[in-house]
Each structure stands twice: as structure tokens, then as C-alpha cells.
Amino acid sequence: MSTTAYPARAVVDLDAIRDNVRALRATAANAQVMAVVKADAYGHGLAPAARAALAGGATWLGTAHGTEALAVRAAVGPEPRVLTWLYAPGAPFAELVREDVDIAVAAPWALDEVADGARAAGRAARVHLKVDTGLGRNGITPEDLPAVLDRAAALQSDGALAVVGLMSHFALADEPDDPSVKMQTHAFEEAIRTVEAAGLPLEVRHIANSAATLTNPAAHYDLVRPGIAVYGLSPVPHLGAPGDYGLRPAMTLEARLATVKRVPAGRGVSYGHFYTTTQDTVLGVIPLGYGDGIPRHASGGSLGPGGPVLVGGGIDDVAAPGAGLGAARVLRIAGRVCMDQVMLDLGPYAPEQAGDVVTLFGASDGLAHAGAPNAEDWAQAAGTISYEIVTRLAARVPRVYVGTAGRETA
């Protein structure tokens, strides 16, 4: 969609993604980095984000679904390893194996389906066994692991698959001192010993997500799997802002004001009139709403503080989103978030006009650090996490890419 046809855009800095991965590589020390690009790279754009992550030194790319893995492989070519880990019976295993995608096996039934796909593809499948060490989500239980290993060893002997990895996932990695972290680490190491005792030597062992990558060196093993940190947001905002970990947010969400008008004191604003003007003032309409992924829970007035918006700036300078026009100030959403629009009380002396730019969130350590709003500030206003703020941004909001990393070469 043309950025001139839509009154808002998400500016994605590919160099920020590259540099974030470089910072994560330095933090991970001797472990390789798998950049997780599931969910359209957390809303940033799967193909350009994947290429930018590779430019930063990632050697693996991770996806939830097989269709994402195939799209990644088509975008980046044959060189990096690609892993997919979430599927139901009937997934396209043969195609995944033909495209040299590693497949996680998280349930006993999956082994034989993956092996059947490998036989159809005419080559062995590369398998990572996913064990449930305490998250209680996807993964092989300790009780089922011995039987799974017996079957995996038989299928490996037959040439249908090769067990190359063992993986798990923390429940509370964002609370590194929680006892469950040590308990899960112990369970993971028990699983490693069990797998190796079954005669299945491992190429990679991995359990660390973004939070564990940044706060728990003991969990790095051979490979780390950062997701949100790749895109410059802190997975542990209560412990540190992005800049504290050498990260910078890669996405800036901007919009042009659609309507600016004077209203009297006592005017109700938006559905339900949960916000009422306290003085003669100027209202501004931002043409973004929950249809674009703006959380309705970030409504303002008597409903809560409202999502923060930086007023003042320019949208035309792509290299410096949010810079330029007028004195910058942070305001809060006034009233209920609608499907396609939200409102601001710009104040009685507002100089803004229709067409001027506002920034909902961007490359900043956030309001708590005397910066402009970032996705974490919106998460706090909506009672959620920054992951959801960027990932839920709708496809109808155009993505504009800046920076040189991640761009396709001729």
C-alpha cells in the first residue's frame, strides 16, 4: 500500500535490527544466535527483518509455523539454518525437509509424520527434540521422553531423520532469580544427559529466549533464540530499558492528523464520552484505531491514562522519523479508541493542523527515561507487553524500510 494513500506508516530501521543482533551476539559470547522472525518478524516484515538479522551475524532463523519457515527460506536462500517448531498433524513435512528446514518434534506422534515426510522428500529430516521442562506448553514430557528416544534412534538408524538438537523454553526467564529458572535449567540438563545416553549426540542445545540471553549466561548453551530483543525492545523492562542492553527499537509508528478542530469546554469525546474537555480546546483526530492494531485497552480519560503520543514532528523525512515541525510534547489518547481513529486533546493554543505528524511510538528508551514514547509505554497503558504492541500492528499500515541492512542485492 502506498504511504501517500494511507495516512499512517510504520518506519522500520533495518540497521537497528542488524545492530541489535550484533549486540546480542556479543552478549551470547560463544553461542550462536537464532533470530526469531515468527509472526512477520513481530510485525516488522519477515523477509527484510530476516536479511537484516543475518547481516548482524545471526546464523539461524526461527519461526513458529512451517509456512513461515518456507517463506524465510525463499527470502534468504539456502545458507542459514531455519527452524520451525509449531504444527498440527498433516503439516507439509516433505516440503519442509526438501527446503532444508529443521523441524522441532514436541510430541510422540510427530516423529513418524516427520519421518514419512522425509521419505517422501528423499532425504533425512533434521530434528530438534523439544522437551517440556516446566512451561507446561508445547513439548515432550519427561515421562514420554524415553519412548520418544527409542523411536527416534530407530528412525535415525533407518536414515529417515537425524536428531541434531534439543530445545526447551523458560516460563519465567524475565524473572531470572525465580526458583523455576534453576529448576527448568536442571530439567533441561537432565534431558541432555538422557538424550546423549541414548546414543544421539547433539549439534545444538538451546533454551534461552531474549530475556535469558540478556540476563542468564548459564542458559546460553550452543544457541540462543532472541525474539523481541532483535527488534530493539527490552524483554525485561522492569530490569532495564533497551539502551541498557545495547538495543534500540526498530519500529516507529507515525500518522498524519486527519482533523483538527476547536471545541468548547464540557464536550464529550469519542464513544461513551469517557473523556470530557475541561476547557475550550483543540481536538485532533489520528486516523489509526483498533482496526490497525491500536489496543482498545489504551483508551484514555476515565478509562485510564491512555496511550501516549508525541505531537510535533515531520513524516516526510524518512531517515529521521518524527523530526521537524513544531515543539514536541507528549499527550495521551482522549477517550475510547475506535476502529479507525483515536483522539487527542491538543490544548487551547495548539498550533497543529490537519496533515501534521504525530508519533505513537518509536526508537526511544521511553517516557520513564525522559524520551519519546516507545512500545513499552503503550504496553503499560494497555495492560499488556511490548511484544503485542508491535506484533498486532495490522497489515493495512504500510511498512517503510530505512537503512541499508537487509535489503536485497541485485
Side-chain angles (χ1 to χ4, degrees):
M1 181 182 295
S2 169
T3 57
T4 58
Y6 205 75
R9 67 181 189 176
V11 181
V12 178
D13 184 347
L14 297 174
D15 290 348
I17 294 175
R18 175 199 63 198
D19 295 344
N20 293 334
V21 172
R22 286 176 176 169
L24 292 162
R25 281 185 61 210
T27 299
N30 296 323
Q32 297 183 70
V33 172
M34 174 190 294
V36 177
V37 293
K38 63 180 180 177
D40 198 32
Y42 290 55
H44 291 70
L46 186 147
R51 290 191 289 264
L54 294 174
T59 53
W60 291 70
L61 297 169
T63 71
H65 300 297
T67 51
E68 297 173 320
L70 294 172
V72 168
R73 179 61 78 205
V76 303
E79 187 61 29
R81 296 249 50 94
V82 177
L83 173 67
T84 185
W85 54 74
L86 186 61
Y87 48 80
F93 296 115
E95 187 176 3
L96 290 166
V97 174
R98 276 194 294 268
E99 294 299 326
D100 197 24
V101 172
D102 289 30
I103 303 169
V105 167
W109 67 263
L111 271 176
D112 283 293
E113 284 215 19
V114 171
D116 288 344
R119 295 185 188 100
R123 60 186 296 181
R126 287 172 52 92
V127 164
H128 299 232
L129 300 177
K130 186 172 186 181
V131 292
D132 183 356
T133 56
L135 177 57
R137 203 173 64 174
N138 209 28
I140 301 164
T141 65
E143 294 77 17
D144 286 339
L145 184 58
V148 169
L149 292 176
D150 286 346
R151 184 59 180 154
L155 292 169
Q156 184 159 303
S157 295
D158 291 343
L161 57 81
V163 175
V164 299
L166 185 74
M167 63 186 292
S168 190
H169 200 70
F170 285 116
L172 281 87
D174 54 339
E175 298 289 349
D177 294 327
D178 190 272
S180 70
V181 176
K182 288 186 178 180
M183 291 174 59
Q184 283 195 255
T185 302
H186 175 74
F188 187 57
E189 293 191 349
E190 283 288 319
I192 292 170
R193 288 189 284 270
T194 301
V195 172
E196 291 178 340
L200 299 169
L202 297 168
E203 177 184 320
V204 287
R205 303 159 299 163
H206 47 109
I207 189 173
N209 57 3
S210 288
T213 299
L214 294 174
T215 67
N216 188 359
H220 290 172
Y221 294 98
D222 309 297
L223 178 68
V224 296
R225 304 191 310 265
I228 197 66
V230 169
Y231 309 101
L233 295 169
S234 174
V236 285
H238 56 297
L239 299 179
D244 295 326
Y245 299 105
L247 308 173
R248 70 180 191 274
M251 181 187 288
T252 297
L253 180 61
E254 301 178 322
R256 294 184 181 275
L257 291 173
T259 300
V260 176
K261 63 184 181 182
R262 291 199 167 274
V263 299
R267 176 62 57 88
V269 178
S270 192
Y271 292 123
H273 285 180
F274 294 104
Y275 182 89
T276 302
T277 60
T278 59
Q279 60 184 330
D280 293 356
T281 192
V282 177
L283 295 180
V285 175
I286 302 173
L288 286 170
Y290 61 78
D292 301 284
I294 304 302
R296 196 165 182 262
H297 283 89
S299 300
S302 62
L303 296 166
V309 179
L310 179 67
V311 176
I315 200 169
D316 293 323
D317 185 0
V318 175
L325 181 67
R329 60 198 190 279
V330 176
L331 302 174
R332 295 280 178 167
I333 297 300
R336 179 71 79 185
V337 173
C338 307
M339 182 178 288
D340 309 295
Q341 52 195 296
V342 296
M343 278 55 70
L344 294 176
D345 184 341
L346 296 169
Y349 307 109
E352 282 75 31
Q353 300 177 12
D356 288 352
V357 168
V358 298
T359 302
L360 284 77
F361 57 79
S364 164
D365 276 352
L367 298 177
H369 298 267
N374 66 8
E376 176 60 29
D377 293 315
W378 272 83
Q380 292 182 16
T384 184
I385 55 176
S386 62
Y387 305 60
E388 183 178 358
I389 298 299
V390 291
T391 302
R392 70 185 294 165
L393 193 65
R396 75 176 183 176
V397 179
R399 272 60 167 178
V400 176
Y401 295 96
V402 300
T404 58
R407 296 191 179 277
E408 290 187 86
T409 56

